[in-house]
Amino acid sequence: MRIRFTKMQGAGNDFVVLDETRQRLNLTPAQYRQLADRHFGVGADQVLSVRPSPAPGVDFEYVIHNADGGEVEQCGNGARCFARYVADKGLAQGDRIRVQTLSGVIEPRLNPDGRVTVDMGQPVFALEQVPFVAAGLSPHKDGNWLKWHLALGTYAESQIVAVAVLSMGNPHAVQEVADADHAPVAQQGPLIERHSRFPKRVNAGFMEIQDRSHIRLRVWERGAGETLACGTGACAAVVAGIRLGKLDARVDVETRGGKLTIEWAGGDAPVFMTGPAVTVFEGEIELQE
Ligand SMILES: N[C@H](CCC[C@H](N)C(=O)O)C(=O)O
């Protein structure tokens, strides 16, 4: 099957974008993996599908597949690229759209400076909704929030990490590190991602708090490995830092791929994420059947 695609990136988190507004492609997990493969396909962290509105009051459906072929609930950097894509293709009127995802409706907005702001909805702290299995664990209070100590690796050389656990529609486990550049992302990331206490796996954040309005962040993403940036991960890290009493309501997040700005007023307020969204190239590819 030969298909057209658009390659995009948001702070270095890169995507293959598929226009399914006129016709469903009905791709298989293996075909999503091929599209994301950096040697046998286009190469991307996620594949984003643009589909017609599923309901009145919503403009589009936004479907996200990780590089491993699995469908997931949310992708923040992808949401900005989604908004840029539908605007550039003339599929959307105006600068604000409402987009249905597996985890609810989000509202991206194109800014005059070319960046995109997305209302990412409210963070979710109920452990069973992350989901996180806390049975038998006692949380540790830090500020006015709780951290969970996870044992990683085999008993012989197990390490204990303290993570804040929350959902931005997708699951996140965020730990504080002294130096993000030298954090054990490749070593601990996969162990946290697949820890048995996360039944749907988890995105593992490594946050260096520089001051009350600046952090550096690296994320080992569920189903994709370390990415140059993770939008929902940036939201989760800032929310965790605010709940721990260590960050103010507006934080610049420095990722390896660029800067994101996250704003959260606390309580039931939604999280706002602002950052870049760039089209890299268009192309066609022959997919395996
Ligand atoms: N790996 C994530 C999905 C993509 C999230 C990330 N690319 C973002 O910008 O939020 C997950 O499995 O939940």
Side-chain angles (χ1 to χ4, degrees):
M1 175 204 307
R2 190 162 189 79
I3 65 167
R4 293 191 57 73
F5 67 86
T6 299
K7 182 74 192 291
M8 300 186 78
Q9 60 87 8
N13 191 193
D14 64 340
F15 310 104
V16 167
V17 182
L18 304 176
D19 183 347
E20 295 190 64
T21 55
R22 286 174 291 279
Q23 181 195 4
R24 280 286 184 91
L25 294 171
N26 299 312
L27 301 184
T28 63
Q31 290 173 322
Y32 285 115
R33 285 193 293 273
Q34 181 190 351
L35 280 169
D37 192 294
R38 298 190 185 283
H39 301 284
F40 297 100
V42 180
D45 295 322
Q46 281 86 29
V47 179
L48 314 180
S49 296
V50 182
R51 293 187 182 165
S53 166
V58 173
D59 299 298
F60 296 96
E61 184 182 14
Y62 168 32
V63 177
I64 304 143
H65 287 83
N66 276 326
D68 69 359
E71 184 175 355
V72 290
E73 312 89 341
Q74 194 53 271
C75 176
N77 289 319
R80 298 196 314 274
C81 290
F82 187 106
R84 165 73 56 225
Y85 179 87
V86 296
D88 291 353
K89 294 287 184 184
L91 295 172
Q93 282 65 40
D95 61 6
R96 185 189 293 262
I97 54 175
R98 285 173 56 77
V99 182
Q100 181 70 54
T101 70
L102 270 185
S103 66
V105 175
I106 56 173
E107 294 193 25
R109 181 186 73 229
L110 299 176
N111 298 330
D113 68 1
R115 295 189 303 165
V116 184
T117 295
V118 189
D119 173 343
M120 293 296 294
Q122 299 172 354
V124 172
F125 304 109
L127 297 176
E128 65 278 3
Q129 293 182 41
V130 174
F132 175 68
V133 178
L137 267 189
S138 307
H140 294 256
K141 207 148 168 46
D142 183 339
N144 63 356
W145 203 16
L146 303 177
K147 282 184 173 177
W148 301 88
H149 285 190
L150 298 181
L152 302 181
T154 59
Y155 187 77
E157 76 272 356
S158 83
Q159 314 156 62
I160 303 289
V161 295
V163 293
V165 173
L166 69 158
S167 172
M168 284 304 303
N170 59 347
H172 289 272
V174 184
Q175 62 177 297
E176 284 182 72
V177 294
D179 177 349
D181 279 340
H182 298 94
V185 177
Q187 181 213 6
Q188 292 185 357
L191 299 176
I192 298 170
E193 175 193 2
R194 296 178 178 279
H195 195 281
S196 58
R197 288 189 180 275
F198 293 97
K200 290 190 175 177
R201 296 184 291 157
V202 70
N203 298 284
F206 298 77
M207 165 172 63
E208 173 189 341
I209 296 180
Q210 297 178 302
D211 61 43
R212 295 189 61 83
S213 58
H214 294 87
I215 67 170
R216 301 194 65 229
L217 179 70
R218 292 171 67 188
V219 180
W220 176 276
E221 285 199 28
R222 175 181 63 171
E226 181 173 8
T227 58
L228 294 182
C230 178
T232 51
C235 295
V238 168
V239 167
I242 291 170
R243 289 284 299 266
L244 293 169
K246 300 179 179 178
L247 294 176
D248 290 336
R250 176 193 168 97
V251 176
D252 283 340
V253 179
E254 187 184 336
T255 75
R256 290 189 145 184
K259 185 183 87 171
L260 302 177
T261 299
I262 308 298
E263 296 167 277
W264 185 53
D268 294 337
V271 183
F272 291 93
M273 168 193 62
T274 299
V278 176
T279 297
V280 183
F281 64 90
E282 307 258 358
E284 289 188 11
I285 183 170
E286 194 65 44
L287 287 183
Q288 69 205 13
E289 291 304 331

